Amino acid sequence: MRIATTFTIPEEQNPGTVVTTITAEDPDDAGFISKLYYSINTPNQYFSINEMTGVILVAKRIDAEARTLRLNKAISLEITVRDLPSGGNSNKTTITINIQDINDNPPVCTQYAFSQSVPETAVNGTLIMDLSKQCTDIDVDPINNAFNFSGLSGLGSNERFQLIPAGSGKIVLTGDLDFEDPNNIAVGNEYSLKVAVEDIAFPYYKEYIYVYIKTTPINEHNPVFNSSSYVFNVSELSPPDSIIGYIYATDQDYPFIGITYTIESGGSTLGATNIFWINPSTGVLKLSNYADYETTQKYILTVKATDSGSRFSTASVTVNILEANDEKPVCKPDSYRLSVPVNQATGTNIQNFKLTCTDRDSGPQSFRYFINSGNINNHFAFSPSSGSNVSSLILALPFDYSEGGDTTWNYNLRVLITDGNLNSQSLGGPVQTGTVSLFINVYIPGTTTAKTTTTPSAVYVVTSENVYSPLAWYIPFVSTIGALLLLGFLGGLIYLLAKYFPCRRPPKPDTDPLIKPQETKVKQDVFWEMTKMNTVFDGEAVDPITGNVYEYNSKSGARRWKDTKLPIIPVPVSQQLPMNPAEQTSLPVRSSGTPNKKVKTPPHAAKAEDVTNAAVPGTPNRLQTPKQSAPKVESENKSPYSRSPISPRRSPKVSPKIPKTPA
């Protein structure tokens, strides 16, 4: 087998590309065409061989930058050739294929847009950015992975920025960046640069990088206060958030970004820290806590003004606290439980109880004592009631339980102690009030109370007082608003429920009988004066009770049984239909019981001899059958109320029978 042992091919060959051909000869078949079979024994993924011809082909794309080939670009293959018949002689050889690297990858950068801030005080020669540290080329051979930078362009290029040395990717400041310089032409003091990064080898792949350089101002001047020192006065009664004064400073740097104000020292005292607060943006000095004249009468603060950089200046601020009557009397004990016999003598001290009170801004002569609540029937009083810081509780009026004058055995007294504001004219401020709670039990001497246990026990009474703070005004306000909104929501919900889901009551039963019972009165003769009318019956219907057919007039509502000569019964007025006025006739009626009563006959009365017991539509259970005999008619025309347009005629006297109620 005659073959070359080493081959070189470039990377990135397409699958199917011929690398070489392996040729072998069989001495047994000299001069004849022999059949030989070729195979690759070495496992690999990049090459294959035609077993009949020995042609070695590229089986897969070869990338020299792959991890396996980057370390060793030489691929060794062991080729085996066999002759026929199967299981005949074979031979082997080894070839090496070297993969040649080409420049198939452009330079790759970590990013293609950079932003850099440069202070306005930067000097010429300052390195702004080194782009060579941001880009790489993954090609294997040094000639293919080398690149350079060129084509610096954009606002400020070549005037203030250059690539030094050329092609190195190092952007160096070569001009002046003074922020206050009117010749600074950059918009917003920002420069936009464009740099090309390009391969040195063919085909010279190129990418562009954009660099934005922002000029930052530098503080060159310290803030200056508008006054070297400040003096303010504030009353000790002033609540927190009260404004004390204003502190102001300016900065000559451009642009003016702002000044921050802080209290460096002097703003605290014994038992209270941070009594003062200054707005860091505006310099407004306020109280953050109550000042106490009795603790500290004067504060000397050090206020610091700092610009956006590190420059600052300080000023001295003196705050004088003005005295006021702001202290409440404090008494001991502030809560106590006493017992007094029912026969206690008036004017005597109850259990030798005394109150001892103090006030830091008022003298002992200013105290006054009042029992605000719980003193039913004014049994208790303090002596003296004013002018002393010590006062005793006495029984002012005797108890009267036997006559019913007293019914209370336990008294809960709320005692108010005021300082009288005797010094308020000079100090200012309202009267201050202290409170004491006394629980007094009245008992009958000689009585005992049985205890449930034999072990003595101590009873501890803990009292708490809910004092509403004026600063918490928002609590009742928010609670009230919330309650009103809730009530409005519930009212609207109830309205919608009542509107769209009304309560449906069960229908009331019809208590009216279909056939009214006959009155138990003496039978009376009824005299009818009737006028014959030409009634046209233009409709028919079937009576649901009897099954008989009856005719009716669609306008007047008059009815009669079909194929009968029974008279028509007048229809009640409430069930009449409108009729032609020409058919209306008034029929007076006489009754032997009420001979002078005028009765108006329904306007659509029908023929007396043709209608009897006609059924009324809608009330079939009130109908009478045709088997009932027609009422007897007696000729009589005594009614003076006849208004018939027909010639006068004697009205028949009718004595109707009371129909039987159908079952």
Side-chain angles (χ1 to χ4, degrees):
M1 186 166 57
R2 301 185 302 272
I3 58 171
T5 59
T6 303
F7 303 92
T8 300
I9 62 171
E11 64 171 325
E12 300 295 339
Q13 296 296 317
N14 294 325
T17 302
V18 176
V19 177
T20 186
T21 301
I22 304 298
T23 303
E25 295 180 357
D26 188 355
D28 296 332
D29 297 329
F32 297 94
I33 299 176
S34 61
K35 291 184 179 181
L36 302 176
Y37 293 91
Y38 302 87
S39 62
I40 299 176
N41 296 334
T42 305
N44 79 98
Q45 56 179 330
Y46 295 108
F47 301 100
S48 64
I49 190 170
N50 189 314
E51 64 177 3
M52 302 299 296
T53 63
V55 176
I56 297 177
L57 305 173
V58 176
K60 181 181 178 180
R61 171 180 172 269
I62 302 175
D63 184 8
E65 288 76 35
R67 177 178 299 180
T68 56
L69 296 179
R70 194 175 188 89
L71 299 177
N72 184 14
K73 294 185 292 184
I75 301 176
S76 296
L77 301 177
E78 184 183 73
I79 309 299
T80 300
V81 58
R82 292 184 176 86
D83 59 2
L84 290 179
S86 175
N89 298 320
S90 64
N91 197 2
K92 298 180 180 180
T93 187
T94 300
I95 65 173
T96 300
I97 302 176
N98 294 318
I99 307 301
Q100 180 184 5
D101 180 56
I102 63 175
N103 185 23
D104 61 335
N105 294 288
V108 177
C109 302
T110 56
Q111 61 188 65
Y112 295 92
F114 297 90
S115 179
Q116 184 71 25
S117 297
V118 181
E120 61 174 328
T121 56
V123 298
N124 290 345
T126 301
L127 177 63
I128 305 300
M129 180 175 291
D130 187 359
L131 297 177
S132 63
K133 297 181 180 180
Q134 307 295 332
C135 302
T136 57
D137 193 327
I138 64 174
D139 287 317
V140 178
D141 292 342
I143 188 62
N144 294 326
N145 60 26
F147 55 87
N148 60 12
F149 297 87
S150 63
L152 180 65
S153 61
L155 183 62
S157 61
N158 302 322
E159 296 179 358
R160 292 179 171 81
F161 307 98
Q162 292 183 7
L163 294 174
I164 301 177
S168 64
K170 295 181 179 180
I171 302 177
V172 179
L173 177 64
T174 59
D176 186 8
L177 295 180
D178 187 7
F179 196 84
E180 289 79 19
D181 187 359
N183 295 324
N184 192 335
I185 60 176
V187 178
N189 295 286
E190 184 174 276
Y191 299 89
S192 299
L193 304 179
K194 180 180 179 182
V195 182
V197 53
E198 183 178 9
D199 273 339
I200 296 176
F202 181 83
Y204 310 110
Y205 290 111
K206 182 186 296 186
E207 297 289 345
Y208 290 97
I209 301 174
Y210 298 88
V211 180
Y212 302 95
I213 300 176
K214 177 75 173 179
T215 303
T216 57
I218 299 299
N219 290 308
E220 301 174 343
H221 305 279
N222 293 332
V224 178
F225 287 94
N226 60 346
S227 178
S228 59
S229 62
Y230 300 86
V231 178
F232 303 109
N233 298 322
V234 61
S235 172
E236 65 174 333
L237 293 179
S238 299
D241 204 40
S242 298
I243 296 177
I244 299 175
Y246 299 87
I247 299 172
Y248 182 71
T250 58
D251 193 347
Q252 298 179 4
D253 287 314
Y254 180 82
F256 177 74
I257 300 177
I259 295 177
T260 302
Y261 301 90
T262 57
I263 298 176
E264 292 297 301
S265 62
S268 60
T269 185
L270 181 64
T273 59
N274 301 327
I275 295 178
F276 304 99
W277 176 82
I278 190 169
N279 190 306
S281 301
T282 62
V284 177
L285 184 64
K286 293 183 178 182
L287 282 172
S288 62
N289 204 339
Y290 281 98
D292 188 8
Y293 176 84
E294 287 73 27
T295 302
T296 304
Q297 292 79 34
K298 179 187 293 186
Y299 295 88
I300 299 178
L301 313 178
T302 300
V303 177
K304 181 179 179 180
T306 307
D307 58 16
S308 58
S310 58
R311 294 185 176 273
F312 66 90
S313 60
T314 59
S316 177
V317 179
T318 301
V319 180
N320 296 316
I321 307 302
L322 304 180
E323 186 180 10
N325 184 33
D326 65 330
E327 297 290 341
K328 295 181 180 180
V330 178
C331 301
K332 294 183 179 180
D334 58 355
S335 178
Y336 204 75
R337 185 174 296 274
L338 301 169
S339 296
V340 57
V342 70
N343 57 355
Q344 175 86 27
T346 59
T348 58
N349 186 200
I350 299 176
Q351 284 191 253
N352 296 321
F353 177 79
K354 294 182 180 181
L355 283 179
T356 302
C357 304
T358 58
D359 193 332
R360 295 198 301 171
D361 57 11
S362 299
Q365 295 79 14
S366 64
F367 293 117
R368 298 180 181 180
Y369 304 87
F370 307 92
I371 300 179
N372 184 45
S373 63
N375 193 10
I376 302 173
N377 292 336
N378 299 320
H379 287 296
F380 307 98
F382 278 90
S383 178
S385 61
S386 63
S388 175
N389 67 325
V390 179
S391 183
S392 301
L393 179 65
I394 64 172
L395 183 66
L397 294 176
F399 298 106
D400 183 14
Y401 292 100
S402 60
E403 299 295 333
D406 290 309
T407 58
T408 302
W409 295 86
N410 296 291
Y411 294 85
N412 184 0
L413 304 184
R414 180 179 177 84
V415 183
L416 304 182
I417 302 93
T418 66
D419 55 13
N421 201 17
L422 300 180
N423 299 327
S424 62
Q425 295 180 356
S426 60
L427 301 180
V431 175
Q432 299 295 331
T433 304
T435 60
V436 172
S437 297
L438 300 179
F439 303 92
I440 302 175
N441 170 253
V442 181
Y443 67 93
I444 300 175
T447 58
T448 59
T449 302
K451 295 187 178 181
T452 57
T453 61
T454 58
T455 303
S457 61
V459 179
Y460 295 90
V461 179
V462 179
T463 60
S464 61
E465 182 180 0
N466 184 15
V467 180
Y468 171 73
S469 174
L471 297 178
W473 59 268
Y474 56 89
I475 294 178
F477 175 77
V478 172
S479 301
T480 303
I481 294 299
L484 292 177
L485 292 176
L486 180 60
L487 289 176
F489 173 76
L490 293 177
L493 182 61
I494 293 174
Y495 170 76
L496 293 177
L497 291 176
K499 180 178 179 181
Y500 294 102
F501 301 97
C503 297
R504 300 184 178 273
R505 297 180 179 179
K508 295 182 179 180
D510 188 3
T511 57
D512 295 335
L514 297 179
I515 300 178
K516 294 183 180 180
Q518 298 294 331
E519 296 180 359
T520 57
K521 293 183 179 181
V522 180
K523 182 177 179 181
Q524 299 178 355
D525 293 333
V526 179
F527 299 91
W528 293 79
E529 183 178 7
M530 306 182 66
T531 302
K532 184 177 181 180
M533 301 175 59
N534 295 326
T535 301
V536 178
F537 296 90
D538 54 356
E540 294 181 358
V542 178
D543 178 28
I545 301 301
T546 62
N548 297 327
V549 179
Y550 64 89
E551 298 176 339
Y552 64 90
N553 184 282
S554 60
K555 293 184 178 180
S556 64
R559 303 159 198 188
R560 70 177 180 184
W561 297 109
K562 188 176 181 181
D563 299 330
T564 63
K565 298 300 182 178
L566 299 178
I568 299 176
I569 295 178
V571 179
V573 177
S574 60
Q575 301 179 2
Q576 292 179 8
L577 297 176
M579 64 176 294
N580 192 336
E583 298 178 355
Q584 298 179 2
T585 304
S586 176
L587 301 178
V589 179
R590 282 189 180 183
S591 175
S592 61
T594 55
N596 297 325
K597 183 176 180 180
K598 182 178 181 181
V599 180
K600 182 176 285 187
T601 304
H604 54 281
K607 296 179 181 180
E609 67 273 18
D610 295 335
V611 180
T612 299
N613 301 329
V616 179
T619 56
N621 51 358
R622 291 185 175 90
L623 296 177
Q624 297 177 352
T625 62
K627 297 179 181 181
Q628 294 175 335
S629 59
K632 296 181 181 181
V633 178
E634 296 181 5
S635 176
E636 184 176 356
N637 188 13
K638 299 180 180 181
S639 175
Y641 303 99
S642 178
R643 295 293 186 270
S644 175
I646 308 174
S647 59
R649 181 180 178 183
R650 297 180 64 88
S651 299
K653 182 177 180 181
V654 181
S655 298
K657 295 182 179 179
I658 298 177
K660 296 182 180 180
T661 302

